[in-house]
Structure formats: structure tokens, C-alpha cells
Amino acid sequence: MNRILELLEQQSTGYLSGELLSQELQISRTAVWKHIKKLEAAGYQIEASRRLGYRLIGRPSKLTPQELTMKLQSKGTSIIQKIRMFDSVDSTQNIAQRLAEEGAEEGTLVIAEQQTSGRGRLGRKWVSPSGKGIYMSFILRPGMPLHFAPQLTLLTAVALCRALRAIAAPLDIGIKWPNDLLIGGKKISGILLESTAEEERLRYVIAGIGISVNLTADDFPQELLDIATSLQIELGKPLDRADIIAGFFEQFEQLYTIYQKDGFGPIRMLWEALSVTLNKPTRLILSSGETMATPVGLNEQGALLVRKSDGTIVPIFSSEQVPQG
């Protein structure tokens, strides 16, 4: 079925005969017809002509496993092994965590069209209207020491930033410590990594990603309009969510492979190059209180290095960062 969809996509300007599909796939024309019916049931609009064959005239407005699998395959990615897709969930993080506890393999991806209780860092609510954003969580089983977990958060932010910059050019998208993506100071994406360890080694990591893709101003609460935006608002047109997901996993797989081979060094350099808050005076909100400092980079563990007013440089492992200009 995925191959039929791919062939129909390639033949976007005309019909594709049932005979040609039958020959290409080495199946009967009846089998072709049955697969066409399955695609229609999944939301694809396919025009059938007894004389000319089949023509793709419309795609589903919602994500489908078939389309996403096809686009992941077209990118040559193999990190995603299984896709679990839902119309509405409380949080994709919750479902992915349950699946991980049940033994789900690395590369299990949970996606929802809507979240009723989507969450970000520090328990904050993530706006998740149906069919307009990307709300997904995927399982990693890196088998590494627990203290490396923050590096995976930074890696994920780099992969997502690189993917969105490529797909939503010419938008200038950058990273705010540690894992928010911004356009012009407004947030478009958040990343939440939650892990479980045993004897100081990671059992699994759940990487949760929320992206405001095709939201309009009406989708955001009034109090968020000054600090949040969407790709559609900034670009002036909607984007294909499946393309964004496939582009992200293409970048993530490349960086994850580099990280496993060469360590955190290459990821650190990429993160620093994409940061929009380095070398700018910043108010840091720490568990011990607030302080003013200037972020200057990352250390080898992934902590944020900041220069204090007395000139000393210290690592910060967890904080909220409020740029001051």
C-alpha cells in the first residue's frame, strides 16, 4: 500500500493505470484495487477511471501511519520501528512511558492529533489543538550512564532546529537553553526528555516533542500571544506535518549516530552555533533564587556555562533563562 501511494504521488499530474501498478508491484489488479480502497479508507482521495487508471486528488488532513512510513522511508531513516497513532490522548509522554515499561523497543513512536493534557518542562501545559500541531514521543534505549541524559536533550533540540530551518526557510529559528525553539523571541517548540534508570544506567528515555505547526492566533490563549507563535503564523502558509516529522528523524538519526561514535563534542558545537541566547545578559531563575549572568557555551557534560558579574565561569545544569537584551 505504501508503494502504491508513493507511485501515485510521483504521478501527480496524471493517471496511473492499474495494469502498470500491477506489473510494478507484481500483484493482481484485484489486489491493486483492494489496496486503493484501503488508502481511501485512510482518508486519501483517489479518482478512478476505467480507461485511465487511478489519480491521487487529495490527501487526508490528519496524519496517517501509511504516509508517515512512506516519508520516513524516503529519507532513508530506520530509527523508527513502530508507529502508534491516536486521535486524542491525555499526553503522548504518558502512553510512551507505559509502552516502555511494557518492553516496547527503541524506535517506538507515539503520535496524537490532539492532547488534552500535553505537558512541557516543569509541568507546564502545552497547547495542543487537534490536527494543527505535532505532538509525539518516542522511546530510546541508549544503555548509557544516567548523567549523560541531558546531552540527549540538547541533541534532540539541535536535530529539530536543523530540520525546521530546512523545511521552513527562510525563518530564523534558534535554540534557547536548554530545549526551546524560538522565532523572533517567541516559542514554537518544546522538548521534554524523561528517563528511567537502574543502577545508574538509563533503562529508557522518552523524548517528547511539541511543535506549533499550523496553529493560528485564535488557537493560543490571549496570555501566550506575546511569547508563543507557530510556523504558519510566521511563514504565512501551512506546512505538511509529515514532512516535518520525517525531516526531524532524518536529522536525529544522523546526529544520534555521530553522538554514539564521537561523543558529545560535535553536538555541543552545533548547539552553540544554533543558540540565540549565548553571549547575551540573562536573568537565570535557579532553585536557589535568581541571578544575572551571561551564557557563554556548554561544557563537556552539557551544562550551560555562564559568566558571573565577577568574571568567573560556572556550570548551570538546570534553570530558566530570561534574556535581558
Side-chain angles (χ1 to χ4, degrees):
M1 191 163 67
N2 292 332
R3 181 58 179 153
I4 290 176
L5 180 58
E6 185 179 357
L7 291 169
L8 290 172
E9 292 269 11
Q10 293 171 359
Q11 191 74 13
S12 59
T13 58
Y15 288 86
L16 201 56
S17 73
E19 182 178 0
L20 192 150
L21 286 169
S22 175
Q23 293 173 354
E24 176 72 22
L25 300 172
Q26 296 184 342
I27 59 176
S28 69
R29 294 185 65 169
T30 299
V32 169
W33 177 81
K34 288 181 179 179
H35 286 307
I36 292 290
K37 288 301 177 184
K38 289 181 181 179
L39 285 170
E40 289 177 334
Y44 291 92
Q45 295 174 275
I46 299 173
E47 188 175 80
S49 168
R50 191 178 293 271
R51 184 171 59 89
L52 300 173
Y54 303 100
R55 181 166 69 101
L56 182 65
I57 59 174
R59 297 161 181 80
S61 58
K62 69 178 192 175
L63 294 165
T64 67
Q66 294 87 354
E67 180 183 25
L68 190 50
T69 297
M70 182 191 73
K71 293 197 173 184
L72 287 168
Q73 290 174 346
S74 73
K75 296 290 187 180
T77 62
S78 59
I79 192 167
I80 296 303
Q81 298 296 311
K82 185 176 294 185
I83 299 174
R84 299 286 300 270
M85 198 164 285
F86 301 87
D87 286 331
S88 181
V89 299
D90 57 351
S91 166
T92 59
Q93 284 290 95
N94 293 342
I95 293 177
Q97 285 178 330
R98 175 174 57 79
L99 291 173
E101 287 292 339
E102 293 171 354
E105 63 187 316
E106 178 169 86
T108 298
L109 173 63
V110 177
I111 303 180
E113 286 290 342
Q114 179 185 33
Q115 294 183 121
T116 57
S117 300
R119 67 179 189 272
R121 290 180 68 241
L122 306 177
R124 291 172 178 153
K125 182 177 175 60
W126 183 264
V127 178
S128 312
S130 180
K132 294 190 174 185
I134 292 172
Y135 323 116
M136 64 182 184
S137 300
F138 60 100
I139 299 172
L140 295 171
R141 294 189 181 275
M144 59 179 60
L146 174 62
H147 64 269
F148 286 123
Q151 296 179 352
L152 293 176
T153 300
L154 300 166
L155 186 156
T156 304
V158 171
L160 185 56
C161 189
R162 284 162 62 94
L164 293 182
R165 280 187 163 207
I167 291 169
L171 295 182
D172 187 15
I173 302 170
I175 304 171
K176 172 192 168 189
W177 165 265
N179 52 14
D180 289 343
L181 266 58
L182 308 181
I183 301 175
K186 293 186 177 183
K187 184 172 177 176
I188 58 160
S189 177
I191 297 165
L192 175 65
L193 264 69
E194 297 177 311
S195 59
T196 297
E198 190 173 284
E199 297 181 353
E200 294 302 311
R201 296 193 73 83
L202 292 168
R203 286 182 55 221
Y204 62 79
V205 175
I206 308 298
I209 296 175
I211 310 171
S212 298
V213 182
N214 294 326
L215 281 71
T216 65
D218 292 338
D219 292 312
F220 290 101
Q222 189 66 36
E223 65 270 17
L224 294 183
L225 288 176
D226 289 338
I227 59 174
T229 188
S230 75
L231 293 171
Q232 177 172 322
I233 291 172
E234 298 299 322
L235 203 58
K237 64 179 182 180
L239 292 173
D240 187 308
R241 292 179 295 156
D243 284 341
I244 293 173
I245 295 170
F248 163 72
F249 282 111
E250 178 186 27
Q251 290 288 334
F252 184 89
E253 185 166 333
Q254 291 174 4
L255 295 177
Y256 195 44
T257 300
I258 291 171
Y259 175 69
Q260 291 174 316
K261 179 177 179 289
D262 299 325
F264 184 61
I267 308 303
R268 178 178 63 181
M269 289 189 293
L270 290 170
W271 190 96
E272 290 176 345
L274 293 169
S275 171
V276 294
T277 52
L278 288 187
N279 302 310
K280 296 178 181 178
T282 297
R283 179 165 57 93
L284 296 174
I285 304 174
L286 309 171
S287 59
S288 58
E290 296 186 11
T291 186
M292 289 295 299
T294 300
V296 294
L298 300 175
N299 71 6
E300 293 180 357
Q301 288 72 46
L304 182 68
L305 295 174
V306 299
R307 182 184 296 112
K308 300 169 66 175
S309 57
D310 62 5
T312 59
I313 295 178
V314 297
I316 300 294
F317 287 91
S318 179
S319 74
E320 286 297 294
Q321 189 179 140
V322 184
Q324 302 298 297

